[in-house]
């Protein structure tokens, strides 16, 4: 599991995504059994003989199993544009994992000590079974016949995957955004199998504004005639236009207004005056959005976007597990919880983290909450590695090994 | 000009939009001359013999000339849905003007004293010449051959229209959002013809986040294949799908996150559990967005949306008139200025109003700035009538009549 070659200090080195077929069907919240289910995964570090040093890292909406190191087979399409880290929730063009700054020897998730496992989530398009996988009933890709999955379904799939790997307990489950939702769901669904959870820039239930942004992104995809009711595979057409708009919406919600000011101001692309054009981008921020949209559609599947966006909108610990009460939902949690929020994150704002903290504290559960004052919005969870690292390392240091 | 029939206390009564063809071409910023130009307008109150009591009211992105009173001919399609005031930037289903709460006897813009004039802006789709008007060169609608207009072009058209009405001076120019941009542009372009300007929930230049939201809305329209490069008139197809998405983006940016919390929370539409559906709206906020999109596309032209959105993104007083300096741009202003901002408006935030205030103050110009603490976001300029009214009445009371 150790890297064959040290690329640089702190890197897990060269890695390759592997695949595992689950032996049993996954029972889903919607009532359906899903089978077969393949899980794409990577591991970094060494599994201890006692198998008690495992950290599961869960990715966000558009991520994948390549969380750290350099991919032996870099992705065909560039996802890196030099503008910032907005594509780092997916493998970068240079083949660097999306959380490479956080996972490795001496890093936040220290592979000298921990065996870090990253999977592509259920419904994904980067190796794990999802809407683009073949439906055994027809032999053709599921498309919109893929069952509507929940965050709990993703977690049950991860549980089954770890079972197949012979891993029973987790020293920690960690993730940002949708990844943090999975971490929380783990602590609730499998309380006696999780020592600690690290929840970053996440929530117990997305606020209505976030629900709305996600709905708008999905509408943009589904209103694209090339979506074809979800059965676009093999037709030579895909809803790239709509998914581009969806990605643009995402990008602006991931950044703060001051970050956009600093990054783009109102700078025009050409010369120093306007060109009186409707169709062409004029401002640098307009060009940036088009560029982001164009690169994203090359690497990501629109149906996976729809399903994942739906799952994170549905996610609501209080509704799912507490009859409307967050405290009741968290009542069975046995893990220690670390919550990290960023002051400028308006999509996953600090308030929701505070609600989780208060609920856990009221229940007498061990919880730590850190609010990091940083300007980049939701993207901070990918950008502010240096400031998260000591907090996470200190928190994990007291985890029994 | 007085209402034929008093509908209720404070109403201007029953009104009908009228139309005026400008005698001369309008010279545009892009260099083209536009001719013919028709202007849709309404007036409320009585023009004084000295013609010195005129207030021009300018509308926002999706508005029209029907600012007050009850339309004699209500619009064919409903734009009112019972959820709120989000469609009040356009005529409501009941035929009530979009700023009826602000214009009338005893109201903020008091028609017992002032002669209030409202026009549909250049590029509009509600009676004033715009992309859906016939191009004299071809006899067919302009579509995307319509020249790209600026806020200054809108103001020059308003100037020419008032000339045709025999009105030289304005006691005030007032507007919210894009309407406020027009008011500022009036003060700069025609300094000796404007006594005062009332600028509400507006800016001297949209911040990059606002530029981005507008770009995304336009992308949604232009990526709809039914847009057909802007020449969809008469084809039986229009980019309704894309414009629906554009409108959804708009709605969420017009409201604050807390307003969405209060209005919708995470309430589900049906029963008290999820239905595992991708395509159908589940949350009330999702249903609201669909409803808003559906009603908007029935009353508004997509090309007008594109042109107007472009104009308000271009608008930049410092770039246009000050070589990059806002102070230099405002140097010639002779009008008194009233600025009103709302604490929760994140699309047109208070900061930009403060920049205008500081610039005018540094120049020794008379300026008043009011920050109203209100929770509804940008929509406040349509909703918070009661709190704006005394501020505006007091400000206008010192206007020479």
């Amino acid at each position: 599991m150790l890297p064959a070659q040290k690329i640089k200090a702190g890197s897990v080195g060269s890695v390759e995504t592997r695949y595992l077929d689950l032996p049993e069907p996954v029972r889903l919240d919607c009532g359906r059994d899903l089978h077969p289910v393949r899980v794409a995964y990577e591991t970094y570090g060494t599994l201890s003989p006692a198998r008690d040093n495992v950290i599961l890292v869960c990715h966000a909406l558009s991520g994948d199993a390549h969380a750290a190191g350099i991919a032996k087979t870099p992705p065909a399409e560039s996802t890196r544009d030099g503008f910032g880290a907005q594509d780092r929730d997916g493998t970068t063009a240079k083949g660097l994992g999306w959380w490479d700054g956080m996972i490795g020897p001496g890093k936040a998730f220290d592979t000298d000590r921990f065996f870090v496992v990253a999977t592509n989530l259920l419904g994904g398009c980067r190796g794990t079974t999802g809407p683009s996988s073949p439906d055994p009933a027809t032999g053709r890709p599921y498309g919109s016949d893929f069952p509507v999955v929940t965050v709990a379904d993703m977690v049950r799939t991860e549980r089954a995957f770890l079972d197949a790997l012979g891993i029973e307990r987790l020293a920690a489950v960690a993730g940002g955004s949708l990844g943090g939702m999975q971490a929380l769901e783990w602590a609730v669904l499998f309380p006696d199998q999780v020592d600690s959870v690290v929840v970053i820039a996440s929530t117990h239930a997305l606020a209505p504004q976030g629900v709305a942004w996600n709905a708008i992104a999905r509408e943009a995809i589904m209103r694209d005639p090339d979506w074809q009711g979800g059965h676009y595979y093999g037709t030579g057409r895909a809803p790239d236009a709509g998914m581009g708009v969806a990605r643009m919406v995402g990008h602006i919600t991931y950044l703060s207004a001051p970050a956009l000011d600093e990054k783009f101001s109102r700078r025009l692309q050409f010369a120093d005056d306007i060109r009186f054009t409707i169709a062409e981008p004029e401002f640098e921020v307009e060009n940036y959005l088009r560029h982001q949209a164009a690169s994203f559609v090359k690497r990501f599947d629109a149906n996976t976007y729809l399903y994942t966006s739906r799952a994170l909108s549905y996610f609501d610990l209080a509704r799912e597990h507490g009859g409307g009460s967050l405290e009741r939902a968290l009542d069975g949690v046995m893990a220690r919880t670390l919550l990290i929020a960023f002051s400028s994150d308006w999509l996953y704002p600090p308030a929701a983290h505070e609600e989780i903290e208060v609920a856990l504290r009221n229940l007498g559960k061990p919880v730590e909450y850190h609010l990091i004052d940083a300007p980049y919005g939701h993207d901070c969870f990918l950008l502010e590695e240096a400031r998260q690292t000591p907090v996470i390392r200190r928190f994990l240091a007291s985890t029994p090994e």
Side-chain angles (χ1 to χ4, degrees), chain A residues 344-374:
Chain A
S344 57
D345 185 349
W346 56 284
L347 190 62
Y348 288 80
H353 302 77
E354 286 155 26
E355 288 160 13
I356 299 169
E357 186 205 13
V358 166
L360 288 170
R361 220 173 270 297
N362 287 346
L363 292 162
K365 317 264 183 202
V367 57
E368 256 187 60
Y369 169 51
H370 291 263
L371 174 59
I372 295 180
D373 189 31

Side-chain angles (χ1 to χ4, degrees), chain A residues 19-330:
Chain A
Y19 304 90
L20 185 147
D21 294 315
L22 298 183
E24 303 287 335
V26 175
R27 164 60 53 99
L28 303 175
D29 272 337
C30 67
R32 281 171 68 178
D33 284 334
L34 192 66
H35 189 78
V37 174
R38 169 167 292 189
V39 176
Y41 72 103
E42 295 190 2
T43 68
Y44 324 105
T46 308
L47 183 60
S48 65
R51 297 172 175 259
D52 60 358
N53 69 333
V54 182
I55 293 180
L56 176 69
V57 163
C58 305
H59 68 73
L61 195 150
S62 56
D64 54 30
H66 182 45
I70 298 182
K72 271 190 188 130
T73 320
E77 294 297 343
S78 167
T79 62
R80 187 80 174 175
D81 62 5
F83 269 107
Q86 284 72 36
D87 256 318
R88 288 178 55 191
D89 47 346
T91 306
T92 72
K94 287 173 186 153
L96 218 57
W98 58 268
W99 229 5
D100 186 71
M102 298 280 276
I103 302 167
K107 293 184 177 173
F109 302 102
D110 189 344
T111 51
D112 285 340
R113 181 177 171 208
F114 292 105
F115 180 65
V116 177
V117 180
T119 68
N120 183 212
L121 49 68
L122 184 67
C125 57
R126 308 275 290 180
T128 292
T129 299
S132 55
S133 304
D135 180 348
T138 64
R140 294 190 308 274
Y142 283 102
S144 49
D145 294 330
F146 194 74
V148 175
V149 295
T150 64
V151 171
D153 294 332
M154 296 171 185
V155 167
R156 281 188 209 100
T157 304
E158 288 154 11
R159 176 66 276 175
F161 161 77
L162 291 170
D163 284 344
L165 242 59
I167 293 166
E168 198 190 328
R169 292 191 61 78
L170 290 172
V173 188
S177 199
L178 168 60
M181 292 177 175
Q182 292 168 67
L184 285 167
E185 189 80 54
W186 260 97
V188 170
L189 281 186
F190 305 107
D192 55 347
Q193 296 157 33
V194 184
D195 293 330
S196 60
V197 294
V198 179
V199 177
I200 306 173
S202 189
T203 183
H204 58 89
L206 201 60
Q209 196 190 56
V211 171
W213 290 128
N214 275 279
I216 291 170
R218 293 195 306 275
E219 287 283 339
I221 294 170
M222 294 189 296
R223 285 166 181 244
D224 184 332
D226 287 342
W227 183 56
Q228 304 170 65
H231 296 287
Y232 53 85
Y233 306 109
T235 66
R237 295 179 293 129
D240 290 349
M243 194 160 74
V245 172
R247 185 61 168 174
M248 292 180 183
V249 170
H251 267 286
I252 299 304
T253 63
Y254 301 153
L255 286 167
S256 68
L260 284 166
D261 286 346
E262 195 194 314
K263 199 178 224 181
F264 302 107
S265 177
R266 283 182 52 90
R267 277 193 306 277
L268 295 164
Q269 274 211 95
F270 299 104
D272 44 354
D273 209 353
I274 58 173
R275 296 172 301 155
F276 301 97
T277 169
I278 298 290
E280 294 307 313
E282 280 274 54
F283 295 93
E284 282 187 9
V285 69
E286 295 176 352
N287 192 51
Y288 167 77
L289 287 171
R290 285 213 186 175
H291 182 91
Q292 288 296 331
S295 78
F296 186 63
V297 300
K298 289 179 192 160
R299 75 165 171 93
F300 210 76
D301 176 54
N303 278 335
T304 283
Y305 196 101
L306 292 177
Y307 278 80
T308 312
S309 164
R310 183 45 112 188
L312 68 84
S313 299
Y314 274 155
F315 180 74
D316 187 334
L317 280 183
R319 192 195 67 230
E320 291 166 40
H321 302 289
S325 156
L326 181 59
E327 227 173 278
R328 213 174 309 149
L330 296 171

Side-chain angles (χ1 to χ4, degrees), chain A residues 326-350:
Chain A
L326 181 59
E327 227 173 278
R328 213 174 309 149
L330 296 171
D331 193 35
V333 169
M334 295 167 68
R336 296 182 310 124
T337 302
L338 171 63
L339 302 161
I340 299 177
F342 299 95
S343 55
S344 57
D345 185 349
W346 56 284
L347 190 62
Y348 288 80

